[in-house]
Amino acid sequence: MSREKIIKEYFQSWGNNDISIIDKIFSENAIYTECYGPKYTSKKQILKWFKEWQEKGKVIAWSIKNIYEIDRILIVEWNFECTWEGKLSNFDGVSIVEFDENNRIINLREFESKSTHYYPYQGE
């Protein structure tokens, strides 16, 4: 399976609450750093986080805007929309995803950006 397809299935798994994808695509010693600070240092921890997150949250959409591939790394631009404990949230982000030689994710780092932008110099 291509790395691009792996990432697309991973993003989709959050909306479908499909934990089986996590087990298939992450290395046992994978590291996952969320955009607001939490860091998980094994597939076991990533699986636990996925289960716990789904109890309080619901992914409405995790849309991929662009994917760039450099060797074993994908850079993925995306928009994430969810409810967390009933509150709506929406933000843009970028993930840097590193794969091992077996096409399993060994390191995934997320970075967040506000999805609403303003243009301070519009018209100049």
Side-chain angles (χ1 to χ4, degrees):
M1 180 181 333
S2 75
R3 293 180 184 122
E4 186 171 327
K5 184 168 172 56
I6 290 168
I7 288 301
K8 287 178 178 178
E9 284 190 13
Y10 172 66
F11 279 37
Q12 216 171 18
S13 74
W14 280 87
N16 297 339
N17 191 8
D18 181 5
I19 198 167
S20 69
I21 300 296
I22 307 288
D23 198 40
K24 288 191 323 190
I25 66 170
F26 281 89
S27 168
E28 290 300 322
N29 57 349
I31 297 171
Y32 195 119
T33 307
E34 286 192 83
C35 57
Y36 64 97
K39 191 169 195 170
Y40 312 102
T41 58
S42 68
K43 181 167 45 173
K44 181 180 175 183
Q45 289 181 6
I46 295 166
L47 288 163
K48 182 176 182 176
W49 161 57
F50 184 94
K51 286 180 196 175
E52 289 179 356
W53 195 96
Q54 295 288 342
E55 292 171 6
K56 295 180 182 180
K58 172 70 179 145
V59 173
I60 297 166
W62 198 358
S63 307
I64 295 173
K65 296 178 180 182
N66 290 300
I67 297 177
Y68 308 96
E69 188 166 0
I70 304 166
D71 298 321
R72 290 189 190 167
I73 295 173
L74 291 185
I75 300 166
V76 186
E77 293 180 274
W78 44 262
N79 176 267
F80 186 77
E81 185 174 0
C82 72
T83 56
W84 179 259
E85 296 182 334
K87 184 179 175 190
L88 184 64
S89 180
N90 184 312
F91 58 92
D92 289 334
V94 171
S95 293
I96 300 173
V97 187
E98 185 179 350
F99 291 83
D100 67 14
E101 62 279 351
N102 299 313
N103 262 0
R104 292 191 181 256
I105 297 170
I106 57 171
N107 194 356
L108 193 155
R109 293 171 286 155
E110 295 178 343
F111 301 89
E112 176 182 351
S113 173
K114 302 226 181 286
S115 59
T116 302
H117 300 281
Y118 65 95
Y119 303 89
Y121 303 112
Q122 188 170 356
E124 284 190 17

